[in-house]
Amino acid sequence: MQKLVGMQLDESKSATKHLSLFTGTLSQLQDSGMAPFDDELRGIFLLMTLPNSWETLVVALSSNPNLTFDGVMGSILNEQIRRKTSGEGSS
């Protein structure tokens, strides 16, 4: 659990790798016997792994009453593409 909570997106690497590491860590926790997190909580944990430079996205998604894990993942991937296209960030 500590590994999940302490995870942080490294902006010098791709968000895709971060998402893969995050979902792998979730799977390891469940395989170890921990009860699965509901969809919204997984989305909230994922948002908590984003750095301060992603705050606008975090705030926008956090205010969504229908927050889903897949929605957060899709938004992160879209934001990575937007940043790469506009020259922001390294990933």
Side-chain angles (χ1 to χ4, degrees), residues 1-8 21-22 24-25 28-29 49:
M1 181 69 170
Q2 189 173 18
K3 183 178 178 183
L4 183 69
V5 174
M7 197 175 287
Q8 184 81 26
L21 180 63
F22 184 87
T25 303
Q28 287 175 356
L29 286 171
T49 69

Side-chain angles (χ1 to χ4, degrees), residues 4-11 13-19 22 42-62 67 69 71-80 83 91:
L4 183 69
V5 174
M7 197 175 287
Q8 184 81 26
L9 170 69
D10 180 346
E11 293 187 83
K13 299 181 181 166
S14 83
T16 305
K17 288 181 183 178
H18 177 71
L19 294 173
F22 184 87
R42 289 186 300 147
I44 291 168
F45 277 137
L46 182 53
L47 286 175
M48 290 170 51
T49 69
L50 298 178
N52 290 340
S53 62
W54 289 59
E55 183 178 1
T56 302
L57 179 71
V58 171
V59 170
L61 293 176
S62 297
L67 183 75
F69 182 68
V72 172
M73 284 197 341
S75 295
I76 289 171
L77 293 172
N78 287 337
E79 178 66 8
Q80 174 186 306
R83 287 171 179 244
S91 50

